[in-house]
Amino acid sequence: MAQEPLQIDNQHEGVAISCDATIIVFHAPKAFPPGQPVSLTLWPASDRPLALSARSIGSKLLQEQRFEVRARLVNLSRPAREHLVAAFGPR
């Protein structure tokens, strides 16, 4: 399972664990209610960060007091979609 660094709403650190270019699943320090807009930046410390917009589908509390969040990606460009498929596709 891939774990890619992620910045959430420009204030929280998290990790993206899967993405199929429609739905992204990530771990975050807080929950996001269904329908809430979420601003994500994959690879925030790299020279080519990828900004994404999403809407939360829901959050589930994990044992380590973090949340697993599922979100639907919105307004995704073709280059961004291709980059996500390359990063999270089958290895």
Side-chain angles (χ1 to χ4, degrees), residues 21 43 50-52 75-86:
W43 310 291
L50 180 61
L52 302 169
N75 299 327
L76 193 61
S77 68
R78 181 179 295 248
R81 185 177 312 276
E82 291 169 353
H83 196 131
L84 289 171
V85 168

Side-chain angles (χ1 to χ4, degrees), residues 6 26 44 79:
L6 180 69
F26 59 93

